Amino acid sequence: MNLYRSFFLAGALLLAGPACATNVSMAGGDVAFSTPDNWVTIMETQGVPEMRVFQVPDPSPTARDNLASVTVEVEPVGDLAAFNRYVGNATRKAKGLDGYKAIGNPEGPNSQAYTAQEHGTAYRYDERFWFKNNHAVRLRCARPARSEAGAAWATAFDKGCDAVAADLAR
């Protein structure tokens, strides 16, 4: 029964993943991207920095205690040197997290992939940064390193994160 449920869940996630999208615009339209419709906006700020945080639903019991989220943060910076300071500050903060460990090969320049502990749970983080129209743009994807939803859910999460990154890189 568990195997059948896993296949059903994987199929449902694959069908639901890329079919629909919600368009998001930030920084007066200078930054735009789309998210899967099933992502839930849980926080939105205006000003400096401007931020959107999305919860990525995890259909398993893991979600009771651990939140999978994607954050897009946009902050005005005057030039490339200010952008580099922004990235450096974010990197220092990441390295200061409990249990920080760099993993794998990050997706391109100004990117980092790592694991760290959040409330006693191992999380996988993927952060990417862009300098666009005098703005620092940060994408931070955070999910529990292990979810009872299984590999199909983790793959769908990563695919959604990659799709937002592709939009932001344009």
Side-chain angles (χ1 to χ4, degrees):
M1 182 67 174
N2 244 353
L3 184 60
Y4 174 75
R5 182 176 170 195
S6 295
F7 282 120
F8 176 77
L9 177 61
L13 287 170
L14 291 174
L15 289 174
C20 300
T22 299
N23 297 322
V24 179
S25 178
M26 298 173 72
D30 284 342
V31 176
F33 57 95
S34 296
T35 67
D37 274 344
N38 68 329
W39 288 13
V40 179
T41 301
I42 58 173
M43 189 173 91
E44 182 176 338
T45 66
Q46 301 296 317
V48 178
E50 184 176 353
M51 187 182 309
R52 301 279 173 91
V53 181
F54 304 91
Q55 178 181 0
V56 180
D58 176 344
S60 76
T62 306
R64 281 190 311 259
D65 303 315
N66 302 293
L67 177 70
S69 65
V70 174
T71 302
V72 177
E73 182 178 277
V74 180
E75 186 169 320
V77 292
D79 55 24
L80 192 54
F83 169 75
N84 287 332
R85 284 191 299 276
Y86 176 90
V87 173
N89 287 337
T91 300
R92 274 188 294 286
K93 285 180 184 176
K95 288 180 177 180
L97 294 172
D98 288 341
Y100 171 88
K101 182 180 176 186
I103 58 170
N105 297 316
E107 297 286 329
N110 299 316
S111 299
Q112 57 185 350
Y114 58 95
T115 58
Q117 296 289 316
E118 191 170 307
H119 307 292
T121 299
Y123 268 76
R124 184 191 193 294
Y125 299 89
D126 181 12
E127 290 187 298
R128 305 175 204 190
F129 303 86
W130 297 270
F131 180 60
K132 296 180 74 168
N133 302 318
N134 290 328
H135 290 90
V137 179
R138 175 184 179 202
L139 170 66
R140 183 176 192 246
C141 302
R143 65 172 169 80
R146 289 187 179 85
S147 167
E148 293 174 63
W153 177 83
T155 298
F157 177 95
D158 294 344
K159 186 176 178 181
C161 187
D162 290 343
V164 171
D167 282 353
L168 291 170
R170 291 186 191 132

